[in-house]
Amino acid sequence: MGNYRDLEHHLRHAEKAKILILDTGNIQFYFQNRHLIPQSHIFKHYDLILIPGWVHAEYAHHSGKASYIASLPLPYIIIDEIDDYLPMLGYSDKKLMELFRLAAPFSESLKFFNQYKTVEIEDIPDDWIEQYYQDGFYTRTTSSLVTKKNAGEVSILTLCFSLLSHYPTQISNISIASSDFGIIAIKDKLLKEANRAPLELGISTTPPISYLSKDVSLLIAIKDEIIQPHQVAALRPNSCSSIYLEMFPDGSSALHEHVLHTPDFIEMCKNHNRYRMIF
């Protein structure tokens, strides 16, 4: 049972809706650090939280994370890939298949879609989305959990472009709460194809998609005095790829994209007015 009807209720007559789409890694980060960074701070700028079904499958077994999501201070909807994506694309299996294919440049996914290259759309199985989730991702199985590598990111990007196509005037911005650096290049690739056949999504050439990575969340929390620089080392124990702007007194700025070590990030936090995190 999907939740497309709930999505329509919130967005069909919306004006400048601010949407946040959650990925598994950020859910874990927010849950683990809930005692320092409260929900009221993280989610205060949004009208609606969306969680793809494949992301939900990655955290639903964990009672703490599930309870954290259930206690969100604003509406949230779990969007099912099987039931809710097709209505946003005019029930076009061809468009959804192409979006998934472009969002998943991985060997397992390419192998899955290659088998349908010469198959007429009317001959594609009705359960192809279920088959794709089953066979189109590298699968890791443990005693208590089955994980599908990159499934959440693929679903998030597909959802972004489906939303912008289906609700062309109702959305102010979509923020992706993910810290998977690869999502940026794939989003840019999708954008190049979004308005070409066979997609023809009719979206803006500058879609309002932004990123709420862990580094972005941390620097915002520093600027809002929710946390202090000396607390950052515990919240960010590892170096990670980041994109940020360094601003200068003359009004110019420099764009930096590199692996940012935590001591350097802490120094940025101490002089936070000089920087703006992009990812």
Side-chain angles (χ1 to χ4, degrees), residues 245-255 274:
L245 277 174
E246 182 179 7
M247 294 168 285
F248 301 102
D250 64 354
S252 65
S253 61
L255 178 67
R274 186 175 174 180

Coordinates of all heavy atoms in Angstrom, one line a residue, residues 245-255 274:
L245 N 32.5 27.0 0.4 CA 33.0 28.3 -0.1 C 33.7 29.0 1.0 O 33.3 29.0 2.2 CB 31.8 29.2 -0.4 CG 31.1 29.0 -1.8 CD1 29.9 29.8 -1.9 CD2 32.1 29.4 -2.9
E246 N 34.9 29.6 0.7 CA 35.6 30.4 1.6 C 35.4 31.9 1.1 O 35.7 32.2 -0.1 CB 37.1 30.1 1.6 CG 37.9 30.9 2.5 CD 39.4 30.5 2.5 OE1 39.8 29.7 1.7 OE2 40.1 31.1 3.3
M247 N 34.9 32.7 1.9 CA 34.6 34.1 1.5 C 35.6 35.1 2.1 O 36.1 34.9 3.2 CB 33.2 34.4 2.1 CG 32.1 33.6 1.4 SD 30.5 33.7 2.1 CE 30.7 32.7 3.6
F248 N 35.9 36.1 1.3 CA 36.9 37.1 1.6 C 36.3 38.4 1.8 O 35.2 38.7 1.4 CB 38.0 37.1 0.5 CG 38.6 35.7 0.3 CD1 38.2 34.9 -0.8 CD2 39.6 35.3 1.2 CE1 38.8 33.7 -1.0 CE2 40.2 34.0 1.0 CZ 39.8 33.2 -0.1
P249 N 37.0 39.3 2.5 CA 36.5 40.7 2.9 C 36.1 41.5 1.7 O 35.2 42.4 1.8 CB 37.7 41.3 3.6 CG 38.4 40.2 4.2 CD 38.4 39.1 3.2
D250 N 36.7 41.3 0.5 CA 36.4 42.1 -0.7 C 35.1 41.6 -1.4 O 34.7 42.2 -2.4 CB 37.6 42.1 -1.7 CG 37.9 40.7 -2.2 OD1 37.2 39.8 -1.8 OD2 38.7 40.7 -3.2
G251 N 34.5 40.6 -0.8 CA 33.2 40.1 -1.4 C 33.4 38.9 -2.4 O 32.5 38.3 -2.8
S252 N 34.7 38.6 -2.7 CA 35.0 37.4 -3.5 C 35.0 36.1 -2.7 O 34.9 36.2 -1.5 CB 36.3 37.6 -4.2 OG 37.4 37.6 -3.3
S253 N 35.0 35.0 -3.4 CA 35.0 33.8 -2.7 C 35.8 32.7 -3.5 O 36.0 32.9 -4.7 CB 33.6 33.3 -2.4 OG 32.9 33.1 -3.7
A254 N 36.2 31.7 -2.8 CA 36.9 30.5 -3.4 C 36.1 29.3 -3.1 O 35.7 29.0 -2.0 CB 38.3 30.4 -2.9
L255 N 35.9 28.4 -4.2 CA 35.2 27.2 -4.0 C 36.3 26.1 -3.8 O 37.2 25.9 -4.6 CB 34.4 26.8 -5.3 CG 33.7 25.5 -5.3 CD1 32.6 25.5 -4.2 CD2 33.1 25.2 -6.7
R274 N 33.2 32.9 7.9 CA 34.0 33.0 6.7 C 33.7 31.9 5.7 O 34.2 31.9 4.6 CB 35.5 33.0 7.1 CG 36.5 33.2 5.9 CD 37.9 33.2 6.4 NE 38.8 33.3 5.3 CZ 40.2 33.4 5.4 NH1 40.7 33.4 6.6 NH2 40.9 33.4 4.4

